[in-house]
């Protein structure tokens, strides 16, 4: 291990990225327990039609429970949610528009009548007891944005590489070849530090080409077999990524918070990870970061940043929109946990390194670079992104951090639907598995292999990766 981290008490950064929820949806009502949080009051609203001045207005509520079906969060849907108008090729750059955040209800109604009420509601603090305690005991960042205004896969790519290599949606060519950009994993390794990925189903980090190399096979660990043991033995690596269950069966529910998965399962998962880290002899050297990859179509009242956002690598998105990666996506939850953080800390926007810098997913590799004194940035985006080491606002570690967190209460009454059709991200994970298994040369690849595939079939298909 390198000795050049003496300026920071953190030797291990742990990253957990949950799925498809906005800040207001999950944490907006936490303002009631800490007024400093830029959350919601109930005065926030959307009209059902942005073009009809007589349209009914829906005010933001706190009645969220189990969500089904899944709201819209594609590049096109997100554009309408942010700007209140539908996307076409003449509006793709959005140069003359301001982000009003007025289109969530309107867009939701195009998916299913009545869905506006789903996207215009958030959770009461007591419905998310694990987050309520973590925010009270540690820190919340109320100005963290997804890296691009689109769906899961490209945003997850930004988290570890500060670019999606031009992807605004699924790119089948890149999925087969693996995304070629350098990642923070290689930077950590070059700095003589270690990394580990603890997975439960096929890990999405295998979308990166370099991580498919045989030499990295020992960096992948089954969560259920290795995480608690490594924590107990004090053997967690310097950069830890935890991947959750993106699929669910009746016996093993999904815990990634992606609708319609039960959010209480996500709460249980976060509780398990926290309590395991808390009991580790490494606890006083850990910074645990929980974020969400994108907003999932749920309302957020904070306008998305559109000024001074640099393209990571000057790669332009595909036709017809040719997105320039010059604006961020919707605000998402971010919780920062460490014994070096004062209780009730609220982190707002960053103080640099540029006047327009924001916290977004590229802030993770930027902060890891700073804490571990790594040599180079990955792209122009992590060079621009705000870093959050400032959240470590104590001169000594706390001894009063809770050992146990509250037990979540089950929200969904029904059992998991094993026969459900796959979400777009689940399809991409199956297709990635097909590539790694060598099935991409078959006639059924890429679309026929996922056509009509049920969730339980996808779990079985990807089970070979339980032995990685």
């Amino acid at each position: 291990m390198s000795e050049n981290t003496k300026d920071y008490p953190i030797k291990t950064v742990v990253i957990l990225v949950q799925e498809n929820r906005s800040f207001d949806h999950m944490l907006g009502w936490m303002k009631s327990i800490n007024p400093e949080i830029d959350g919601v009051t109930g005065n926030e609203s959307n009209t059902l039609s942005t073009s009809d001045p007589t349209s009914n207005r829906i005010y933001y509520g706190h009645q969220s429970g189990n969500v089904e079906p899944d709201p819209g969060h594609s590049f096109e849907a997100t554009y309408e949610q942010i700007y209140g108008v539908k996307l076409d090729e003449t509006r793709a750059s959005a140069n003359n528009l301001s982000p009003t955040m007025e289109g969530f209800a309107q867009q939701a109604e195009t998916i299913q009548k009545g869905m506006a009420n789903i996207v215009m509601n958030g959770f009461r603090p007591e419905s998310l007891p694990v987050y309520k305690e973590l925010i009270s005991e540690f820190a919340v960042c109320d100005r963290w944005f997804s890296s691009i205004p689109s769906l899961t896969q490209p945003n997850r790519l930004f988290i570890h590489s500060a670019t999606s290599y031009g992807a605004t949606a699924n790119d089948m060519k890149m999925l087969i070849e693996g995304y070629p950009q350098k990642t923070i994993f290689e930077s950590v390794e070059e700095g003589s530090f270690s990394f580990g990925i603890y997975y439960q189903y096929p890990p999405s980090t295998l979308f990166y080409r370099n991580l498919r190399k045989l030499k990295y096979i020992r960096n992948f660990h089954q969560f259920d077999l290795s995480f608690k043991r490594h924590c107990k033995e004090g053997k967690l690596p310097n950069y830890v990524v935890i991947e959750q269950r993106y699929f669910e069966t009746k016996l093993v529910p999904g815990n990634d918070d992606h609708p319609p998965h039960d959010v209480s399962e996500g709460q249980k998962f976060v509780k398990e990870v926290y309590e395991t880290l808390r009991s580790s002899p490494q606890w006083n050297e850990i910074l645990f970061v929980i974020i969400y990859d994108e907003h999932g179509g749920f309302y957020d009242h904070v306008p998305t940043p559109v000024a001074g956002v640099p393209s990571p690598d000057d790669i332009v998105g595909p036709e017809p929109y040719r997105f320039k990666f010059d604006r961020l996506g919707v605000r998402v939850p971010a919780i920062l946990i460490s014994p070096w953080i004062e209780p009730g800390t609220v982190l707002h926007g960053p103080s640099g390194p540029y006047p327009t810098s924001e916290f977004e997913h590229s802030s993770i590799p930027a902060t890891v670079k700073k804490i571990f004194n790594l040599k180079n940035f990955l792209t122009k985006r992590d060079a621009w992104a705000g870093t959050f080491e400032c959240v470590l606002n104590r001169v000594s570690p706390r001894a009063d951090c809770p050992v146990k967190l509250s037990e979540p209460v089950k929200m969904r009454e029904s059992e998991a639907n094993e026969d459900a059709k796959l979400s777009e991200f689940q399809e991409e994970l199956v297709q990635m598995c097909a590539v790694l298994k060598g099935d991409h040369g078959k006639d059924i690849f890429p679309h026929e292999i996922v056509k009509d595939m049920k969730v339980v079939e996808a779990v079985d298909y990807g089970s070979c990766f339980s032995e990685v």
Side-chain angles (χ1 to χ4, degrees):
M1 182 185 295
S2 173
E3 296 298 323
N4 56 8
T5 60
K6 59 183 182 296
D7 291 337
Y8 298 101
I10 301 303
K11 309 300 183 199
T12 294
V13 179
V14 181
I15 306 296
L16 172 60
V17 186
Q18 293 286 80
E19 283 278 300
N20 292 42
R21 308 277 177 163
S22 72
F23 185 95
D24 279 347
H25 178 64
M26 296 297 285
L27 304 182
W29 288 104
M30 296 290 178
K31 184 180 180 69
S32 64
I33 63 172
N34 187 344
E36 190 181 340
I37 296 172
D38 186 359
V40 293
T41 63
N43 293 320
E44 300 79 12
S45 64
N46 265 195
T47 58
L48 287 173
S49 172
T50 59
S51 60
D52 181 1
T54 66
S55 175
N56 289 337
R57 185 166 285 276
I58 297 179
Y59 285 85
Y60 201 69
H62 46 61
Q63 303 300 317
S64 279
N66 191 62
V67 172
E68 192 171 2
D70 191 18
H73 46 277
S74 65
F75 186 75
E76 294 82 358
T78 304
Y79 185 98
E80 183 176 356
Q81 291 157 5
I82 293 171
Y83 293 104
V85 293
K86 290 186 180 296
L87 175 63
D88 61 36
E89 293 175 39
T90 64
R91 291 173 170 157
S93 65
N95 288 335
N96 299 319
L97 295 175
S98 297
T100 63
M101 315 308 282
E102 283 278 347
F104 289 86
Q106 172 180 282
Q107 197 282 325
E109 290 295 297
T110 67
I111 296 177
Q112 180 175 299
K113 186 172 178 57
M115 184 172 273
N117 289 312
I118 292 176
V119 303
M120 295 300 294
N121 266 287
F123 289 96
R124 293 184 177 95
E126 57 268 24
S127 297
L128 303 175
V130 173
Y131 284 172
K132 180 182 178 182
E133 289 183 41
L134 291 176
I135 285 171
S136 299
E137 289 286 345
F138 300 103
V140 61
C141 176
D142 64 1
R143 197 170 172 84
W144 187 299
F145 299 90
S146 50
S147 294
I148 65 170
S150 190
L151 35 69
T152 289
Q153 192 202 61
N155 271 300
R156 280 188 171 264
L157 289 169
F158 264 89
I159 291 163
H160 306 297
S161 67
T163 179
S164 66
Y165 202 73
T168 56
N170 185 21
D171 184 321
M172 191 56 59
K173 180 177 183 289
M174 286 293 98
L175 186 149
I176 294 171
E177 297 177 357
Y179 283 85
Q181 65 263 37
K182 184 177 181 178
T183 70
I184 191 63
F185 300 106
E186 290 109 292
S187 292
V188 164
E189 185 181 52
E190 289 168 1
S192 299
F193 295 93
S194 56
F195 73 86
I197 297 163
Y198 295 80
Y199 66 95
Q200 295 171 79
Y201 282 148
S204 66
T205 38
L206 287 175
F207 282 123
Y208 298 114
R209 182 188 304 171
N210 289 340
L211 288 185
R212 298 178 184 179
K213 294 177 180 177
L214 187 60
K215 72 172 185 174
Y216 289 131
I217 194 169
R218 295 188 182 277
N219 295 85
F220 287 85
H221 313 280
Q222 274 191 270
F223 178 86
D224 292 334
L225 293 180
S226 302
F227 183 66
K228 288 185 179 180
R229 177 168 55 85
H230 288 181
C231 284
K232 183 178 180 179
E233 295 172 353
K235 293 182 178 178
L236 282 181
N238 301 112
Y239 185 61
V240 174
V241 174
I242 300 174
E243 297 219 38
Q244 55 282 88
R245 295 191 295 266
Y246 303 110
F247 302 85
E248 68 173 0
T249 65
K250 292 176 182 178
L251 294 177
V252 186
N255 58 13
D256 62 351
D257 283 349
H258 193 300
H261 297 169
D262 189 343
V263 166
S264 68
E265 295 294 338
Q267 292 284 283
K268 290 178 185 177
F269 181 43
V270 171
K271 169 183 164 70
E272 177 185 4
V273 173
Y274 169 81
E275 291 176 357
T276 304
L277 294 172
R278 177 65 180 87
S279 65
S280 171
Q282 294 173 270
W283 169 246
N284 282 344
E285 299 177 342
I286 286 175
L287 173 59
F288 177 28
V289 180
I290 304 166
I291 62 166
Y292 283 68
D293 56 8
E294 44 104 348
H295 73 297
F298 294 97
Y299 172 81
D300 195 85
H301 78 278
V302 174
T304 59
V306 296
V309 180
S311 168
D313 39 27
D314 299 320
I315 301 174
V316 178
E319 299 288 352
Y321 307 122
R322 295 185 59 78
F323 181 57
K324 296 179 181 178
F325 297 88
D326 53 359
R327 51 191 174 88
L328 299 181
V330 177
R331 189 176 64 148
V332 292
I335 301 174
L336 309 170
I337 300 157
S338 175
W340 294 88
I341 298 174
E342 288 286 357
T345 296
V346 180
L347 190 62
H348 303 301
S351 56
Y354 295 90
T356 60
S357 293
E358 299 282 2
F359 290 122
E360 55 110 327
H361 298 336
S362 303
S363 294
I364 289 176
T367 304
V368 170
K369 176 186 181 300
K370 199 164 195 176
I371 288 176
F372 294 155
N373 193 25
L374 305 179
K375 287 185 178 180
N376 300 309
F377 289 106
L378 297 170
T379 71
K380 287 183 286 186
R381 183 65 72 84
D382 61 318
W384 168 87
T387 58
F388 50 86
E389 77 288 343
C390 58
V391 78
L392 305 168
N393 53 10
R394 288 179 55 87
V395 296
S396 62
R398 289 164 53 196
D400 64 345
C401 301
V403 175
K404 298 289 184 182
L405 301 176
S406 296
E407 192 68 38
V409 177
K410 185 175 177 64
M411 291 187 187
R412 187 176 63 190
E413 298 298 327
S414 60
E415 62 183 9
N417 181 10
E418 295 180 342
D419 295 329
K421 64 179 294 186
L422 303 182
S423 70
E424 184 169 358
F425 185 53
Q426 288 173 334
E427 288 184 352
E428 292 161 3
L429 287 169
V430 170
Q431 290 163 336
M432 180 191 73
C433 287
V435 172
L436 299 177
K437 292 171 70 169
D439 288 350
H440 58 290
K442 299 180 179 179
D443 292 342
I444 58 173
F445 186 87
H447 302 299
E448 287 297 317
I449 199 169
V450 294
K451 183 181 179 182
D452 301 324
M453 180 179 275
K454 299 174 182 178
V455 168
V456 68
E457 295 169 337
V459 170
D460 181 64
Y461 186 78
S463 63
C464 62
F465 291 94
S466 64
E467 303 301 327
V468 167

